[in-house]
Amino acid sequence: MTRDHYLSALRGTDDRGAESPPVLLAPLSGVTDLHMRRLAQRLGASAVVSEMVAAAELAKGDAESQVRAEGAGISPHVVQLAGCAPAPMAEAARIAVANGADAIDINMGCPAKTVTGGESGSALMRDLDHAARLLAAVRGAVAVPVTVKMRLGWDHASLNAPDLACRAEALGLNGVTVHGRTRQQFYKGRADWSAIRAVVEAVGIPVIANGDITSLDEARVCLRESGAAGVMIGRAAVGRPWLVGEIAAGLAGRAVVPLSAEARAAAACEHYEGLIALYGAAMGVRHARKHLAAYADADGGLSADDRRRLVTTTDPAEALRLLRRAFLEPAGRATPPLGEAA
């Protein structure tokens, strides 16, 4: 994928052959693991982005960071990097590209205190000169497309996303994603999609809108209010990795055919088994718990007791049995522990 074809590589076409807006799976730290991304892409996402990778750790060869940046079976493979110093960011970008990344996204939007406390993520929006040095370092280090994800600003007194986007464009970046909140809002209230329009009007590169998009109807409203070229789906896709593809199909004018209960169960079980294979049984079970809870809550097919057992069991066989039940059996009927008669 060349720099000039970043957006066209993601866009689909509608039934008339016209381009349709891309719909991407957002980078979610500790959530958008390799197997969730594979599922989302196979089920129709225009592109998927890795969970946030600490650039300094990847540059040092940290094993966990390498797993986070893994993209086997994904195309295009987009790796998101976070950091506060130009040299490690540039080196991490080179490593990611050497290992198969087709594009690099730079995190300037994460609001978590553990990230902003280290002057990374959305903290970079408080010093746009320094932010620009990071953008320039990554852009100069790799030949693949480079994008940046940001918020509207640090707070409502400094809504400087248009300025940061202009700097990104001037440095040769290929796209911008904007979450429609400030850092100080964290995830409170509602994302302001109309505020993203100021960024769209400030730059010529593609702008992707992000924040609180949970359905096809909301995606359409977001595109209309923001003027963005596409949308990015985050928290709403947890427990529903098929949602991104459904929204993409709808925006392309195709009929949205919901996955059957059997297909949803198979996808959830594939995800769980993939995590066990990727991380090993002990770590995989722990890593999977947030996903198990989300799958259970998304479909609502478990009693309270069964849901609790699903997210606490250390037995993969029992987890898979309960996960299938969440999708395939009526809600509220408790199931006995593994090995007992049903």
Side-chain angles (χ1 to χ4, degrees), residues 88-102:
M89 287 287 288
E91 180 60 19
R94 284 189 285 265
I95 290 169
V97 170
N99 289 333
D102 298 302

Side-chain angles (χ1 to χ4, degrees), residues 141-162:
V142 295
V144 302
V146 177
T147 61
V148 58
K149 189 170 188 291
M150 63 185 71
R151 290 208 163 205
L152 296 174
W154 178 259
D155 55 29
H156 278 90
S158 56
L159 300 178
N160 56 3

